[in-house]
Amino acid sequence: MSRLFAPAPTPRLLAAYLVIGLVGSVILIYLLHRGLGPRGRRWLIAVVTFVAGLFYGLEFYYPVHNRKNFLTDWIEPVSVMIAVIGAFTVGLGIYSLCQVHGRNVARRRPGWPNSLAFFVAFLAMLVFGLWSHYTPVGEPAPKVLPWQNGVYEVLFNGLFAPLQTATFSLLAFYIASAAYRAFRMRTAEAALMMIAAFIVMLGQVPVGAWITSGIPLTSPWAFFRLETLGEWILNWLNMPAQRGIVFGIAVGALAMSLRVWLSLERGTFFSEQR
Amino acid sequence: MTQAPPHGFWQRMQQIPRYYIYALLAGVVIWQLLFPIRLPIAPSRATLGVRDAIRNVPEDKIVIISVDWDASTQPETGPQTQAIIEACFQLKKRFAIMNLAAPMGVKLANDIALRVARRYNAKYGVDWCNWGYKVGQGNFLMAVAKNIPKAVATDFYNKPVSELPMMRGVENISSIGLVVEVTGLAGMTELWLGLIQGPYGTPFASAYTAVMAPGYYPYLDSGQMKGMLVGAKGAAEMETLVNRPGSAVAIMNVQSWAHLLIIVLIVIGNVAYFMGRRRPGEGRR
Amino acid sequence: MNPQLWILSAGAIATVLRGLTAALRDPQLWILWAGAIATLGVYTILYRENPVSRFFEHIFVGLSAGYLLVATWAFNLEGRWWDPMIHERRWYWIFAPVVGFLFYFIYSRRLSWLARLVMGLFFGAGAGTFFREFFPLYSPQLYASFKPLRPDAQVGWAAVILHNWLFVIVLLTVLSYFFFALPHEGRAGRNLGRAALLGRWFMMIAFGAMFGNTVMARISLFIGRMRFLLKDWLGSFIPWLAHRGM
């Protein structure tokens, strides 16, 4: 088995193995597609799902000798292989984006200059990102960067990061507006929620500690210092409630994982081809 | 049935244009940034736990700082990362930065580490390194537990990690003295705790955005986490502990007044609501 | 015009151009101004939806997509797939892109089952990973839930009641809120219903704490951006702002 997966001895043999592997895979996929009907495909998908889950679960629960069992040595290569396979899916979302914006530009739909801007930004980041990756400056960086590295820095630190931060910082305004317009003490539960929110909000900031700084830390009333009260709410009211939710999530996730592992789920990604 | 237009002072108060609220918030923030009223910041037990966890890392082990954040949470997670890196340099603990979920974070954290490293004359590859962004999440962690050089392969600068001086002797999870997770994304902590901290007993500490922190107090209580930084407050506390007050301390000075403004707005909104409530039958057409 | 004046003017213009060129070569200046313009462009949406903010949104999506490709290649595929396959001649890595590209058949109606085949691999691996992490992750939560309910040498009655008793009551009532196997009828059911109601009240306190933290998080993001605009951008040419100690 280890001889089968040994590295190719020469570059020419490597090229041959790569071509054979590629062509062989395509032929295998073709044969599977032609040979398997809907029931066979469903069966194959169920078997692959089951074996993938069984591998990881079994390696963990199977008894060990000298801290390993017969599957332990396979964990690292299989995990790396699955991670690398997952990396190839990066194009899925990008293909979708390019399709949508490409149609906008090709058909000159309203707002097509924005779609063109999307492509310009996409290609600029791709080109200068890869160019900068292949012209590393080392550490310490020189005072004058190569111009392509400079452009990449401007794209990343000058546009990409600020745009993302600014977009998410808009939430501060929305939460202020929503707090004023929508947070109403209509019920006792809402009032409880609001009081807890006030105490935690003040307890987390220096002004809260300042407001109740008159209560000595050693006095029995120190519990009512805002920062102490806020910590107490987070540790002894919020924490057990969150733990209850964690237990609920744990059981639900276990049930869901079992259903997925045993291919009992039905839905968009699990249903058979029509 | 059409809705009656707001009449009366209290009804109009409930529907003031949102621009006034935006302007108030911006005004308070700008005022405090320009004329800050500085108040002391005392570290909490959770923050001290992070500092102590870094301090307790054995000399022959390294720290992993998993920077699973991006620019959307940078004002919180950026200072947290910086304060943790400062602590590692001050306490002379070698560390490796890596990222499982947000490709942007690894470059932002790298820029932070480069800036801080210059202050301590720390050398890349000797005192710290950057493994880069690694696809695979749980699969990657399982591979790291068994064989770090093979799982990581190359670093942020595309050099094989096995060639870095600090990575000599770092074979698998037993070479890791602490994992510090800095993140704004849910789900990453469960992977670290379930696949690394639980099975191998590797000490774990964390730094979260304030939004997600309440959900992780159970793990602090159970001892699975040694400590936790909570948002900009935790970052400010850590900056205070490492004697490098920076952006987080500046943010917390402003935060106080912004919180007071939000509380005042909520109170005014509720007063307007209760005072402006119609009697039954009033206003129907 | 006086020739000396010509020479002086030409010298002044050359100096300004030299300074401008040097400044333009400095990426920091571009970074500051691009960041400020981008931030202000996004903030125009606070007034209303407009072409400027939409333009910057599209730029952001484009940069994001481009960076994802760069990061995936530079930090993953190059070192963990291409180098082992080509430089170490590990030929079996050719199967990774073959399996990975099966995902793209999701766009084909006839061949989409191949995409589901690979998804099955990932869903199965994910389920198996969860089976591995279940006990190490959640059993410490169970152990930590059994807290001492009697005082000892270190912990007095006040702490035991305010902490441990409260913990147990909150945990059990919150769990009872999610227990749907018993209807809230009959004597036992009605007691369960009361416990569930209490659990809901405790959860509202927890959600209030979460709201408080959420406010803190969101406001921090805005403060960070304002700090950049005032200290880094405006402060770069208004010294008074740079030295405000922000």
Side-chain angles (χ1 to χ4, degrees), chain C residues 21 30 38 46 50 60 67 70 91 98 102 114-115 122 147 154 172 186 201 215 224 226 243:
Chain C
T21 318
W30 286 92
L46 289 170
N50 62 82
F60 169 57
Y67 185 73
V70 171
W91 59 273
V98 171
L102 288 180
L114 291 167
F122 277 81
K147 297 203 182 290
Q154 278 97 35
L172 290 178
W201 283 51
V215 167
M226 283 313 301
H243 296 118

Side-chain angles (χ1 to χ4, degrees), chain B residues 221-266:
Chain B
D221 171 71
S222 64
Q224 288 167 282
M225 277 190 222
K226 299 292 180 197
M228 183 166 79
L229 301 185
V230 176
K233 170 180 172 276
E237 291 171 359
M238 197 69 179
E239 284 179 355
T240 310
L241 279 176
V242 298
N243 284 321
R244 289 271 186 205
S247 55
V249 169
I251 286 173
M252 288 314 290
N253 285 327
V254 185
Q255 195 92 39
S256 296
W257 304 97
H259 280 204
L260 281 173
L261 173 69
I262 299 287
I263 289 171
V264 164
L265 285 174
I266 293 174

Side-chain angles (χ1 to χ4, degrees), chain A residues 83-92, chain C residues 72 77 81 93 96-97 100-101 103-104:
Chain A
V84 169
I85 290 169
F88 285 102
T89 63
V90 68
L92 277 172
Chain C
T72 303
L77 292 177
W81 171 68
W93 278 107
F101 281 119
F103 267 109
Y104 293 86

Side-chain angles (χ1 to χ4, degrees), chain C:
Chain C
M1 200 167 138
N2 191 338
Q4 280 175 331
L5 207 57
W6 273 111
I7 294 166
L8 272 171
S9 307
I13 291 168
T15 308
V16 167
L17 279 174
R18 238 199 330 262
L20 203 63
T21 318
L24 287 175
R25 269 217 205 102
D26 177 14
Q28 273 308 114
L29 194 73
W30 286 92
I31 288 168
L32 273 179
W33 278 86
I37 291 168
T39 301
L40 294 170
V42 168
Y43 280 167
T44 57
I45 206 171
L46 289 170
Y47 179 59
R48 62 171 183 202
E49 181 81 25
N50 62 82
V52 173
S53 65
R54 219 171 295 140
F55 171 74
F56 279 108
E57 276 166 18
H58 282 75
I59 296 274
F60 169 57
V61 173
L63 291 172
S64 186
Y67 185 73
L68 183 63
L69 271 182
V70 171
T72 303
W73 171 258
F75 302 137
N76 287 282
L77 292 177
E78 192 183 7
R80 296 205 283 172
W81 171 68
W82 182 258
D83 287 344
M85 188 173 71
I86 299 299
H87 299 132
E88 293 173 28
R89 296 195 218 119
R90 294 183 190 281
W91 59 273
Y92 46 82
W93 278 107
I94 191 63
F95 298 124
V98 171
V99 177
F101 281 119
L102 288 180
F103 267 109
Y104 293 86
F105 286 115
I106 199 78
Y107 292 113
S108 159
R109 219 168 278 170
R110 238 170 28 99
L111 298 165
S112 63
W113 78 273
L114 291 167
R116 287 203 312 279
L117 182 66
V118 187
M119 275 184 226
L121 172 71
F122 277 81
F123 285 136
T129 307
F130 185 75
F131 298 146
R132 288 175 77 96
E133 68 184 43
F134 183 80
F135 283 108
L137 181 60
Y138 295 117
S139 55
Q141 294 292 305
L142 267 173
Y143 302 151
S145 300
F146 290 91
K147 297 203 182 290
L149 296 177
R150 286 191 308 180
D152 57 26
Q154 278 97 35
V155 184
W157 268 113
V160 161
I161 289 174
L162 268 178
H163 294 171
N164 298 352
W165 276 90
L166 185 64
F167 172 89
V168 171
I169 291 167
V170 174
L171 180 64
L172 290 178
T173 50
V174 167
L175 284 174
S176 69
Y177 181 81
F178 293 109
F179 190 70
F180 303 117
L182 189 66
H184 294 180
E185 290 155 6
R187 197 166 154 197
R190 272 199 299 276
N191 285 332
L192 180 68
R194 287 188 198 107
L197 181 66
L198 193 58
R200 203 167 79 199
W201 283 51
F202 286 129
M203 277 196 290
M204 293 308 285
I205 296 175
F207 296 148
M210 287 171 75
F211 175 76
N213 270 34
T214 302
V215 167
M216 183 163 94
R218 305 297 179 219
I219 304 271
S220 299
L221 301 182
F222 175 58
I223 296 171
R225 272 294 90 190
M226 283 313 301
R227 204 167 160 267
F228 162 77
L229 286 174
L230 290 173
K231 181 178 186 225
D232 297 333
W233 176 53
L234 290 177
S236 68
F237 53 89
I238 304 175
W240 179 78
L241 282 172
H243 296 118
R244 290 307 300 165
M246 287 183 245

Side-chain angles (χ1 to χ4, degrees), chain A residues 56 79 82-83 139 153 161 164-165 168 180-181 183-186 201 204 206-207 235 238-239 242-243, chain B residues 13 16 18 70-72 104 107 114 135 139 142 214 217-218 221 233 252 256 259 265 269-270 273-274:
Chain A
Y56 283 112
S79 298
I82 290 182
E139 182 54 26
E153 288 296 319
Q164 189 166 30
T165 316
F168 280 84
Y180 179 77
R181 286 156 176 258
F183 205 160
R184 296 285 180 261
M185 266 200 288
R186 287 198 184 95
M201 275 167 67
Q204 300 276 46
V207 84
N235 280 303
N238 162 74
M239 186 270 289
Q242 297 286 349
R243 183 166 286 167
Chain B
M13 273 296 286
I16 57 172
R18 61 184 188 274
D70 56 20
S72 62
M104 204 179 180
K107 176 159 170 31
L114 285 172
V135 169
N139 292 300
M142 284 188 279
Y217 275 87
D221 171 71
K233 170 180 172 276
M252 288 314 290
S256 296
H259 280 204
L265 285 174
N270 278 281
Y273 169 70
F274 283 109

Side-chain angles (χ1 to χ4, degrees), chain A residues 180-214:
Chain A
Y180 179 77
R181 286 156 176 258
F183 205 160
R184 296 285 180 261
M185 266 200 288
R186 287 198 184 95
T187 61
E189 286 155 359
L192 257 183
M193 186 171 158
M194 194 179 298
I195 292 165
F198 284 178
I199 294 172
V200 168
M201 275 167 67
L202 286 175
Q204 300 276 46
V205 291
V207 84
W210 175 77
I211 287 171
T212 48
S213 57

